[in-house]
Amino acid sequence: FAPVLYFSLDAAGRLVAFNETTLRVLGYSREALLGKPYTVLLPPAARAGFDLGTLQRAGEIESRWVKSDGTVIDVWVGTTI
């Protein structure tokens, strides 16, 4: 397994690819995430104010994601275009 979580989004911000490490760490099945908006990973309070543009340009952001069991974890997201 890759030691990092990897994911890709389509132009609309939907999850279209991710590695097994992402699924294992977060506890989701592939079917639970595939085609879902990126915001499904965010805590509910952060979803409404999320700007997809931050992921559509190269850079780095700090975020919080919700695992399938409800645990919230801190993540660092490096983006490329």
Side-chain angles (χ1 to χ4, degrees):
F1 290 104
V4 297
L5 284 64
Y6 165 84
F7 68 95
S8 292
L9 304 176
D10 66 11
R14 292 181 300 256
L15 294 157
V16 294
F18 30 83
N19 65 359
E20 290 298 320
T21 302
T22 300
L23 298 175
R24 188 168 32 88
V25 168
L26 298 178
Y28 293 105
S29 68
R30 186 167 299 279
E31 296 77 25
L33 293 181
L34 191 61
K36 300 293 190 301
Y38 169 80
T39 54
V40 73
L41 296 175
L42 302 177
R47 292 177 187 169
F50 179 74
D51 176 13
L52 183 60
T54 61
L55 297 178
Q56 294 176 326
R57 56 184 169 270
E60 302 170 356
I61 65 166
E62 291 184 38
S63 187
R64 302 187 86 202
W65 286 1
V66 179
K67 295 171 57 171
S68 66
D69 67 4
T71 304
V72 178
I73 61 170
D74 294 319
V75 295
W76 171 82
V77 180
T79 60
T80 59
I81 53 172

